[in-house]
Structure formats: structure tokens, C-alpha cells
Amino acid sequence: MHYRFIRGGFIEHSTTLKTNKQIKNGVAKVMKGHKVVATGMYENNNRVGRWNFYRSKDSLDQIYNYTTKKVEYNAPDSLIFFEIDSLKAGDKVVPPMKIGGNYYGLFFLIQNFKIPKESNAYPGIHKVYLIFHLDVNGKLVKYDTEILLPVLKTTTTMDLSKLKEEDFDFSPAYLNGKSVASRYVYESTLTVN
């Protein structure tokens, strides 16, 4: 077994080749403290087959198949919604999804959010939207944050150069069987006191 710190307190435990300890090959799990957040398999340093991502103990968040490149299960989340331009009533839609689920997959993207200083002047609870702009292949191309203050709406575009390669990976939205560009939106609140 090989242990490596990923970032943000996550540790990956993975099987490696006897002949080369740098090549992950076999069973793997990702943990945060004593909590398992992901399990799956590696083959020659690449994730293969089904990976299970967990929100909490015994709470499956997502199953993603790295071999077929498809989300097989994604738990509903009332804080996540999506937007597709040109969407009409009656269209058949498959929403975009963050690979890794809404807990582990979004964790590192959410960590990049910084509270703007001007919000300190407005005590209260304010809506915050993290908006991930995705291309037709499900790659993150722009990351905006919006905070709705009483007399002000602040919008900030995040610097994508600070992200890691896996942060860019989403499953694309499909509109009537064709992949399309979309926006994946995480809604939250900001409390200023």
C-alpha cells in the first residue's frame, strides 16, 4: 500500500506495483480523517471501472465509471442546479455533474471561494452562487462567484490557473442526446455579522 496526501486533508491509500512503487495498480480509497470518501481501482496509474464517492458514512454521493466515462448514479442535491441556453419545454435533458460527486468533487473548487471585503458592510444572511461554466465536453472553462447583497451584487471570476487538472472534469450536459455547454451552479449562503 502507498499513502499520499492529496490536498485539503485528503489522503489516498492505494496499491502499487512491487517493481515500481510510483505506479498505482489495484485497490484504492481516499480518506479524510477516518472517513472514507472514495473507493475504486487503478490500472497503470489511471482510475478504471466504477469509483464510488461518499458524502458521509454509508451515504453514496456518486458512482462514476472511469472506463465508460459515465455517471452511473448521482445523489440529488437541493443546492445544485444547472442552466442550459436554448432549453425549451419538452426537451430531454441530462444535467451536468461534477465527477467525484457534490462532496469530494466540489470540495476543492469551493475552497477557492474568498469572501469579498465589501460584504463586511452588509450584516445578514446573503445568497452566494458558485457558477461553473462548462464546455460541450464537460470541461470547466470559467468559474464565477456571485454574492447578492442588499444593494449590491458582486461577481468575481476565479483564476483557473490555481486549479488542479481534476478540478476541471465534469460530466457534460446533454440536450436531446447531444452534449451542450452549460452552467453548473452551487447555491449557498454567507452570514455576515
Side-chain angles (χ1 to χ4, degrees), residues 173-192:
Y174 287 88
L175 180 61
N176 299 320
K178 182 180 177 190
S179 65
V180 294
S182 63
R183 288 173 301 283
Y184 182 90
V185 183
Y186 175 76
E187 179 182 331
S188 189
T189 56
L190 169 66
T191 303
V192 179

Side-chain angles (χ1 to χ4, degrees), residues 12 15 18 35 57 65 71 77 87 90 94 102 107 120 181:
E12 183 179 72
T15 309
K18 283 184 180 182
K35 176 182 168 186
K57 185 178 180 182
N65 192 319
V71 174
D77 192 323
L87 185 63
V94 175
N102 295 328
F107 181 86
N120 291 335

Side-chain angles (χ1 to χ4, degrees), residues 16 29 75-76 79 86-87 101 142 163:
T16 59
K29 67 180 170 182
L79 300 175
S86 75
L87 185 63
K142 186 178 176 189
L163 301 178

Side-chain angles (χ1 to χ4, degrees), residues 143-154:
Y143 175 5
D144 291 331
T145 63
E146 286 184 2
I147 301 176
L148 304 180
L149 300 170
V151 295
L152 179 68
K153 175 176 132 179
T154 66

Side-chain angles (χ1 to χ4, degrees), residues 33-95:
H34 296 289
K35 176 182 168 186
V36 175
V37 295
T39 58
M41 297 283 291
Y42 277 100
E43 189 174 284
N44 294 323
N45 263 355
N46 296 310
R47 289 182 176 185
V48 294
R50 288 181 170 167
W51 274 70
N52 294 329
F53 297 93
Y54 301 94
R55 188 170 297 183
S56 60
K57 185 178 180 182
D58 299 327
S59 179
L60 188 61
D61 195 21
Q62 185 180 83
I63 298 172
Y64 183 76
N65 192 319
Y66 282 90
T67 303
T68 63
K69 307 278 190 239
K70 294 198 183 293
V71 174
E72 295 180 357
Y73 170 77
N74 200 63
D77 192 323
S78 62
L79 300 175
I80 303 286
F81 61 94
F82 66 95
E83 299 170 339
I84 298 174
D85 295 334
S86 75
L87 185 63
K88 299 182 295 288
D91 282 341
K92 183 178 177 188
V93 176
V94 175

Side-chain angles (χ1 to χ4, degrees), residues 108-125:
F108 302 112
L109 290 168
I110 292 170
Q111 295 303 307
N112 283 290
F113 171 70
K114 304 291 183 239
I115 300 168
K117 290 180 183 176
E118 60 265 20
S119 64
N120 291 335
Y122 302 99
I125 300 172

